[in-house]
Amino acid sequence: MHFYEIDIAKAMKHRKPFVLNPTNYILTTDDELYQLPELPAGVPYITQEQMIEQLYTQSLVEIERFLSSEYNKDVYVMAIATNEFYDFHLYMNTEEQYKKSHEQYFTESKNSIQMNHQKYNLGDFSFHNQIHNDEIIKILDGRYMIDEKILDFEMDELPVPMYTGDFKDISIIMNQSLVEYGHYIAVQEVVKRLKDKGIQEQINSTMNFIFYAAVDGDVIDWSLMMRQTVKCEVLYDAIPKLNTGDIQFDQLKVDLQKRSFSKQVHYLIQEIENNENSIGESIFEHCYKTEYHAVEALAENIDDISNDLFPAWKKAVIEYVELGEKPTALFYLSYVLSEFEEQKQEYLQEIKDHLNMIEQAEQQQEESQGNIKMIRNILMVE
């Protein structure tokens, strides 16, 4: 499973009000990184609302630039996108431009399924502008520097030191939650605010026009980000295959409930591995879903976390440590376990003990160390 899905999944839960992590990262003017659990009153820091407001303001500038152009005619799609690198982009496409690229693609491939994907694939949209201004650039540059410094400390297996200064040498302060997934929440909120403003009414659009938040460069937006900002009936009208995929996936979940817990886990893990290794057509590709939907599917089917999920998670830990099994099952069950915040607290010490066991295992490889850090991130366990 992909690391950036961790951050997107956190954003999908919306965690409202926006939950700040206990860690605040402080980047000084000489590019040194520190952390501090609590900031003194009056110390300025980058907030989620500041990010949203800057992105909203600049998105309006970019949209209005398009509205005044000759291309504002028969627009069928608009998206505001971000990615794991914290970039922000505005994408738009018109029926005329789609037909031109459609004809070219048809000539080259004659693949009707891929042509349907192309209509809502950001990379094939004709109009694309980066969304940035001085304040956004400051946030992006600061976040990038913080991220790079964190990676350096992790590579050296050192903790980020505590800040003990007088706050006169501060370049930027960002909470860990904002660094990790604040941008995914920001684009969703901006799209919702623009819709409330009635920006769609100013666009010369088609009847099936859709405007959504997206993950740049990945079809994951079809099933995660897009669904947060577009009603299902609108999506189904624009992309009928999504409706078919939803029906098929819902039936799959019903069928899975007839199986034992262990067989459900085995089936879904096999499909995850098939999807990652491009072996045949996985259920995710067939139903226009992401691997995170497998997490939600299992979470919905669990009757007793103490009898089913937690023992299976511990078994996956042992298999990974002692038998050298692929971490797929451990990752997958860690994602599922993360969905049960209240029940997870009951097993918190056992979870920490098992994760510590992985870290203390002999002949630890760098990849294993990276995996356990990601699993701690998934479970929000330090």
Side-chain angles (χ1 to χ4, degrees), residues 114-347:
Q114 289 301 319
M115 285 187 291
N116 184 62
H117 286 197
Q118 182 194 26
K119 188 166 187 177
Y120 295 96
N121 178 17
L122 297 179
D124 291 311
F125 290 1
S126 299
F127 307 98
H128 166 215
N129 284 323
Q130 188 172 9
I131 303 172
H132 63 87
N133 57 28
D134 289 345
E135 287 301 312
I136 292 176
I137 291 173
K138 178 183 177 181
I139 293 173
L140 298 188
D141 287 349
R143 188 264 177 185
Y144 175 80
M145 286 292 294
I146 290 172
D147 208 36
E148 288 291 298
K149 295 290 183 180
I150 292 172
L151 182 60
D152 289 342
F153 279 107
E154 289 179 349
M155 293 292 289
D156 294 335
E157 298 184 9
L158 294 172
V160 178
M162 289 292 175
Y163 182 75
T164 58
D166 57 7
F167 295 94
K168 294 180 180 179
D169 59 345
I170 302 300
S171 173
I172 194 170
I173 300 177
M174 294 182 73
N175 186 267
Q176 182 178 341
S177 299
L178 195 60
V179 171
E180 289 180 354
Y181 61 91
H183 53 313
Y184 294 118
I185 292 177
V187 292
Q188 293 178 61
E189 185 62 30
V190 167
V191 167
K192 290 175 182 177
R193 291 187 186 185
L194 287 169
K195 287 185 175 183
D196 290 342
K197 180 181 173 61
I199 197 69
Q200 294 167 269
E201 299 171 5
Q202 301 177 42
I203 298 172
N204 186 324
S205 60
T206 60
M207 289 293 293
N208 62 345
F209 173 82
I210 58 174
F211 176 25
Y212 59 95
V215 180
D216 197 0
D218 201 309
V219 295
I220 195 171
D221 58 9
W222 284 33
S223 294
L224 289 179
M225 297 281 279
M226 181 184 279
R227 291 177 185 269
Q228 301 301 313
T229 43
V230 181
K231 294 179 180 179
C232 271
E233 56 267 28
V234 177
L235 275 181
Y236 293 161
D237 184 54
I239 313 170
K241 288 184 179 294
L242 277 182
N243 189 12
T244 304
D246 280 0
I247 294 171
Q248 292 175 337
F249 198 76
D250 286 343
Q251 183 59 50
L252 170 68
K253 290 191 291 186
V254 172
D255 294 340
L256 282 176
Q257 285 183 311
K258 301 173 185 177
R259 307 185 187 188
S260 67
F261 178 82
S262 61
K263 288 184 178 179
Q264 290 181 47
V265 172
H266 176 77
Y267 173 81
L268 290 169
I269 288 175
Q270 190 64 53
E271 288 298 320
I272 289 171
E273 292 181 342
N274 289 345
N275 193 48
E276 292 177 344
N277 298 324
S278 300
I279 300 175
E281 186 180 45
S282 71
I283 58 168
F284 309 106
E285 182 181 357
H286 184 74
C287 297
Y288 292 91
K289 295 291 181 293
T290 72
E291 293 172 357
Y292 202 80
H293 283 90
V295 173
E296 295 175 332
L298 190 60
E300 290 174 10
N301 289 353
I302 291 177
D303 295 320
D304 192 333
I305 187 173
S306 61
N307 287 336
D308 292 329
L309 176 58
F310 195 64
W313 182 83
K314 289 192 290 186
K315 179 174 180 286
V317 172
I318 293 171
E319 289 177 345
Y320 174 64
V321 174
E322 298 182 359
L323 303 179
E325 294 288 333
K326 291 174 61 177
T328 307
L330 181 54
F331 266 91
Y332 175 56
L333 293 172
S334 295
Y335 271 104
V336 178
L337 184 57
S338 72
E339 296 290 310
F340 298 90
E341 287 295 333
E342 292 183 11
Q343 296 95 321
K344 188 183 74 177
Q345 298 305 311
E346 181 181 344
Y347 304 102

Side-chain angles (χ1 to χ4, degrees), residues 54-66 79-83 85-92 122 125-141 144 187 216:
Q54 288 297 328
L55 183 58
Y56 173 79
T57 300
Q58 194 60 33
S59 295
L60 272 177
V61 172
E62 298 299 334
I63 292 171
E64 288 170 358
R65 181 177 293 134
F66 176 86
I80 294 179
T82 189
N83 54 36
F85 305 110
Y86 238 83
D87 297 321
F88 299 110
H89 296 90
L90 173 70
Y91 288 90
M92 305 182 82
L122 297 179
F125 290 1
S126 299
F127 307 98
H128 166 215
N129 284 323
Q130 188 172 9
I131 303 172
H132 63 87
N133 57 28
D134 289 345
E135 287 301 312
I136 292 176
I137 291 173
K138 178 183 177 181
I139 293 173
L140 298 188
D141 287 349
Y144 175 80
V187 292
D216 197 0

Side-chain angles (χ1 to χ4, degrees), residues 4-35:
Y4 59 81
E5 281 194 13
I6 300 170
D7 300 327
I8 297 173
K10 289 177 182 176
M12 293 307 98
K13 295 175 182 178
H14 280 273
R15 296 182 181 259
K16 291 183 177 179
F18 183 70
V19 176
L20 294 178
N21 189 285
T23 300
N24 294 293
Y25 289 118
I26 298 174
L27 188 69
T28 62
T29 51
D30 55 356
D31 290 338
E32 295 295 331
L33 183 67
Y34 299 92
Q35 63 168 309

